[in-house]
Amino acid sequence: MIGGGQLANEATQASTFTRRAMLLSGLQIGVGALLAGRMTWLAVAENERYALLSESNRVNLTLSPPRRGWIVDRYGTPIANNRTDFRVDIIPSRLADPDQVIANLARLLPLGEEEVTRIRTDLKSAAGFQPVKVAENLSWEQFAAVSVRLPELPGVAPTRGFSRNYPQGAAVAHLTGYVGSASAEQYQETKDPLLVTPGFKIGKDGLEKKLEPLLRGKPGAKRVEVTARGRLVRELATRADTPGRTVRLTIDAGLQEFAARRLGPESGSVIVFDTLTGDILAMVSMPAYDPNGFSDGISRLEWKMLSEDDHLPLTNKSLQGLYPPGSTFKPATALAALGAGVDPTRFVYCNGGYQLGNRRFGCLGRHGPMNMHTAIARSCNTYFYTVGRQVGIDAIAAAARKLGFGAEYDLPLPSQRYGTVPDTAWKQRRYNQEWTQADTLNAAIGQGYVLVSPFQLALSAARIASGRALTPRLLATARQPIPLLDVAPEHLAIVRGGMDEVVNGAGTAVASKLPLPGIRMGGKTGTAQVRRIVDRLRGQGGDWKYRDHGLFICFAPVDQPRYAASVVIEHGLGGARAAAPVAKDVLTYLFDKPKAMESLSRFETQWGGDIPTRMAVKARAFAATQPGTPEAAAAAAAQAEAARAAAEAANATVANGSAPGETR
């Protein structure tokens, strides 16, 4: 019995072992089949994908910044181009002793503490093959000093590239804008690796910003083979960059620079139109910054100086400045009156003002009998109070809009402001108030709620001169037909006649007659109050920021207008005094450049030099007021030396037996 039981147990155990062996074998076969299937899938179906990943680990692509497209004027003269840029980078994978290399570079270039810290930080986060910027815009001497010491500087790579250059400097700053490195937000938005490529810069303001897609170009690339640790093995191939497109403007670069220089130390704007085409020939806002310095990166000190300047060099006054137009608005009121049937030969007697109820609205003088022609010429407020009240604000607003006021235009420039052309509906919508007769009187002479930009002033002059609804053009693209202005030609002729008298007859700007035989300029002066002034100066004195603005619009020649312009001088005291002389020289430049340049030379001698010279002097003076700067230290030393010399002179005088100031 015992033997039989043992046989049964052995049989059972053998059966159990066989089942376990079969189960394990099945599992092994299943796992093997799964692995084989997976390997087959990876080797066949996923072969291309992993081959590419492997290749990308072995081969790296380094982008090189594209050359930026040029911006040129109507004649092909460069306004923004590219200059050779010497720079030094570090290739992290080639560095043997980072501390020693950085110390040597800091001595050769030289580099400040902030730059050294920035380089160390960039090296820690950079891939082995990715260049890290050390310095750019180096002089040839600095570049050569690094190049000849390359055996002592493993990992350092001096390269020659291109940087943005603005030949006219500050004269074109608000027109072109500037370029700079892309921000972190811009990179996060697109994840474009070009944005973080050393040396690449994008448009930050002005035309550079708005025309970025045209100007950018396509980057070049260099393929290199690297090890798993990122060390360079060899260079495989290089693809050249594709430069950006050249953009041609309607601007006359010579006129642009002249107008900027002619503004001198004033804060203001000059805009010039071609009345035949609507082309913008000049658009200047001064003072301004140097876009070359901005593109390279300005210091905190320079930024502080610009941002604290009460002349607002960072603001494009041509498009963003808004001013009461003053008497330069009177041609619009005159056209509204003519359109409403007012007889231009009718006389209005000016006794020095206009009485509305118990309030008197003053005039600039006692002009006596005035018709439309003489009222424009002598800028009689009383006449325009009278006809303005007669036709009403809605008619005046409609005429102003026909001339281009209160509108925004399709220009490749940012931050354009369209101002205010008020009417009855506007005041109700804005203030929930009814329009009053007093509001009409103020608006009729360009005060009150009326606000315009210098650009709109120039366009109004161009439309009056041409009789056409000119559309402003800044890009030299195909021209479109220009329709006639919706104003009777005879009405425009009456207004042009009055503006001719302003300069060439018994008007307010006779001192600014063109010094050119046979060429007359028509114009209209304007003085705009900054605030209501009740003291005796009435905006004609006191602190600069409280003085009246000076404005002037003009066109020439009167008989066949070809050019129109506006000049605004902030706090210039008056249009005849400050703005009209600038307009005279700007238009003279268009007809006789040598004569205009001769006049400019005399002015710049009085002002202390050209724009770069004056900007440098101003920067040094500002730096001398800032604690901790070398200029401040030098100024303090000079002051101490002067005090010491004065003390010695006083002691010597006393020693000689004379009191200070006494003559023996």
Side-chain angles (χ1 to χ4, degrees):
M1 295 294 294
I2 296 175
Q6 290 178 342
L7 290 175
N9 289 337
E10 290 178 359
T12 302
Q13 291 176 358
S15 176
T16 301
F17 176 79
T18 302
R19 288 197 299 270
R20 289 177 178 174
M22 292 178 63
L23 179 61
L24 289 174
S25 299
L27 288 173
Q28 290 176 344
I29 293 171
V31 171
L34 182 62
L35 291 174
R38 180 60 177 167
M39 291 176 64
T40 303
W41 172 262
L42 293 176
V44 179
E46 295 285 297
N47 176 67
E48 183 176 357
R49 177 190 172 202
Y50 285 100
L52 290 174
L53 288 174
S54 174
E55 182 70 9
S56 67
N57 286 333
R58 185 182 69 88
V59 178
N60 288 112
L61 191 69
T62 302
L63 298 179
S64 59
R67 287 163 288 175
R68 201 164 177 83
W70 287 23
I71 301 175
V72 301
D73 80 341
R74 63 193 299 112
Y75 305 115
T77 302
I79 292 177
N81 57 10
N82 303 311
R83 58 178 168 80
T84 300
D85 169 30
F86 296 109
R87 60 181 291 123
V88 171
D89 296 325
I90 290 177
I91 310 300
S93 63
R94 301 179 185 177
L95 275 177
D97 187 348
D99 293 336
Q100 183 63 39
V101 168
I102 293 173
N104 289 337
L105 288 174
R107 177 177 51 83
L108 289 172
L109 292 178
L111 301 173
E113 291 184 9
E114 290 185 7
E115 285 300 298
V116 170
T117 302
R118 192 264 308 162
I119 293 169
R120 293 183 185 279
T121 302
D122 290 349
L123 283 173
K124 290 178 181 178
S125 60
F129 60 90
Q130 182 181 7
V132 170
K133 184 187 80 170
V134 174
E136 57 187 353
N137 300 314
L138 299 175
S139 66
W140 167 251
E141 290 74 15
Q142 292 173 318
F143 181 78
V146 174
S147 298
V148 298
R149 291 172 174 81
L150 285 182
E152 308 166 18
L153 301 170
V156 174
T159 57
R160 184 174 64 176
F162 297 92
S163 290
R164 206 56 164 163
N165 179 55
Y166 305 93
Q168 289 84 24
V172 298
H174 292 295
L175 177 66
T176 60
Y178 61 96
V179 298
S181 300
S183 65
E185 292 76 13
Q186 288 170 320
Y187 173 72
Q188 291 298 328
E189 183 179 344
T190 63
K191 298 293 185 179
D192 185 348
L194 180 60
L195 298 184
V196 293
T197 300
F200 176 73
K201 295 180 179 179
I202 64 173
K204 291 289 189 176
D205 197 12
L207 291 169
E208 295 279 24
K209 180 178 181 180
K210 298 295 285 188
L211 300 179
E212 176 68 23
L214 296 177
L215 297 171
R216 178 179 294 190
K218 296 180 180 179
K222 180 169 64 175
R223 296 174 69 243
V224 295
E225 184 177 354
V226 295
T227 66
R229 295 180 177 272
R231 290 190 176 275
L232 178 66
V233 176
R234 57 174 174 154
E235 294 185 3
L236 299 177
T238 300
R239 183 188 70 205
D241 67 297
T242 302
R245 288 176 50 185
T246 295
V247 175
R248 185 180 294 270
L249 306 181
T250 61
I251 294 291
D252 179 336
L255 177 65
Q256 176 85 11
E257 185 174 13
F258 178 86
R261 293 172 63 184
R262 181 58 185 84
L263 280 172
E266 301 286 1
S267 175
S269 168
V270 176
I271 303 182
V272 183
F273 272 94
D274 183 330
T275 61
L276 301 183
T277 61
D279 289 354
I280 303 169
L281 301 180
M283 185 158 57
V284 175
S285 173
M286 295 298 289
Y289 56 88
D290 184 353
N292 292 297
F294 260 61
S295 296
D296 296 338
I298 64 170
S299 65
R300 290 190 180 94
L301 184 65
E302 186 176 358
W303 174 257
K304 187 173 188 291
M305 179 185 72
L306 292 171
S307 59
E308 292 179 359
D309 193 333
D310 60 357
H311 284 42
L312 304 179
L314 298 174
T315 300
N316 182 355
K317 300 175 182 67
S318 296
L319 293 175
Q320 298 170 359
L322 292 179
Y323 311 87
S327 295
T328 58
F329 193 75
K330 288 175 180 175
T333 303
L335 290 175
L338 291 167
V342 171
D343 183 357
T345 63
R346 165 195 168 194
F347 282 95
V348 171
Y349 187 80
C350 172
N351 63 358
Y354 185 91
Q355 195 71 31
L356 180 66
N358 60 359
R359 181 178 173 186
R360 183 171 176 79
F361 290 77
C363 191
L364 301 175
R366 295 178 177 270
H367 297 110
M370 291 276 108
N371 61 17
M372 186 171 287
H373 180 88
T374 57
I376 293 174
R378 300 181 66 184
S379 203
C380 176
N381 286 351
T382 302
Y383 179 89
F384 287 97
Y385 289 145
T386 303
V387 299
R389 184 183 181 189
Q390 179 180 341
V391 302
I393 186 57
D394 289 334
I396 295 173
R401 293 187 183 105
K402 290 178 183 178
L403 295 182
F405 294 116
E408 189 172 4
Y409 297 95
D410 185 17
L411 298 173
L413 291 168
S415 304
Q416 188 181 157
R417 301 176 70 187
Y418 51 84
T420 302
V421 176
D423 54 22
T424 53
W426 174 87
K427 188 177 182 184
Q428 186 66 45
R429 184 174 62 252
R430 180 71 180 273
Y431 296 107
N432 195 27
Q433 296 176 2
E434 296 294 327
W435 188 267
T436 68
Q437 293 293 337
D439 293 333
T440 299
L441 299 192
N442 282 325
I445 63 165
Q447 295 284 169
Y449 297 114
V450 184
L451 288 174
V452 304
S453 70
F455 183 83
Q456 293 168 353
L457 283 171
L459 181 59
S460 73
R463 289 185 173 182
I464 290 171
S466 67
R468 294 187 175 273
L470 295 172
T471 299
R473 284 179 9 114
L474 185 56
L475 301 180
T477 54
R479 293 172 180 164
Q480 302 297 323
I482 305 174
L484 292 173
L485 198 63
D486 185 21
V487 177
E490 57 271 22
H491 294 172
L492 291 169
I494 292 169
V495 171
R496 285 196 293 264
M499 295 175 71
D500 183 15
E501 185 80 6
V502 167
V503 180
N504 304 295
T508 56
V510 293
S512 294
K513 188 180 302 184
L514 292 183
L516 304 169
I519 300 178
R520 301 198 315 277
M521 171 179 71
K524 184 72 194 78
T525 57
T527 301
Q529 289 183 354
V530 175
R531 61 173 187 170
R532 290 182 62 87
I533 297 177
V534 296
D535 65 12
R536 62 182 180 83
L537 296 175
R538 294 182 58 81
Q540 294 298 299
D543 292 344
W544 176 80
K545 64 181 179 180
Y546 296 132
R547 298 174 187 172
D548 293 342
H549 298 312
L551 306 92
F552 188 69
I553 60 173
C554 59
F555 58 87
V558 167
D559 47 356
Q560 290 185 319
R562 176 62 194 277
Y563 306 109
S566 74
V567 177
V568 174
I569 305 296
E570 291 187 326
H571 313 293
L573 300 178
R577 180 188 303 186
V582 174
K584 178 190 76 172
D585 284 349
V586 169
L587 289 188
T588 298
Y589 177 91
L590 289 165
F591 297 104
D592 190 336
K593 292 182 183 179
K595 187 181 289 291
M597 293 303 297
E598 181 183 350
S599 174
L600 176 63
S601 178
R602 291 195 299 270
F603 281 117
E604 288 190 330
T605 299
Q606 300 170 15
W607 296 331
D610 59 10
I611 295 173
T613 302
R614 298 198 310 272
M615 288 178 70
V617 171
K618 185 175 182 179
R620 288 195 296 270
F622 180 82
T625 66
Q626 304 302 303
T629 63
E631 292 83 359
Q639 188 175 7
E641 177 62 24
R644 185 189 62 80
E648 289 181 354
N651 292 335
T653 302
V654 173
N656 290 333
S658 299
E662 177 182 337
T663 303
R664 297 188 66 186

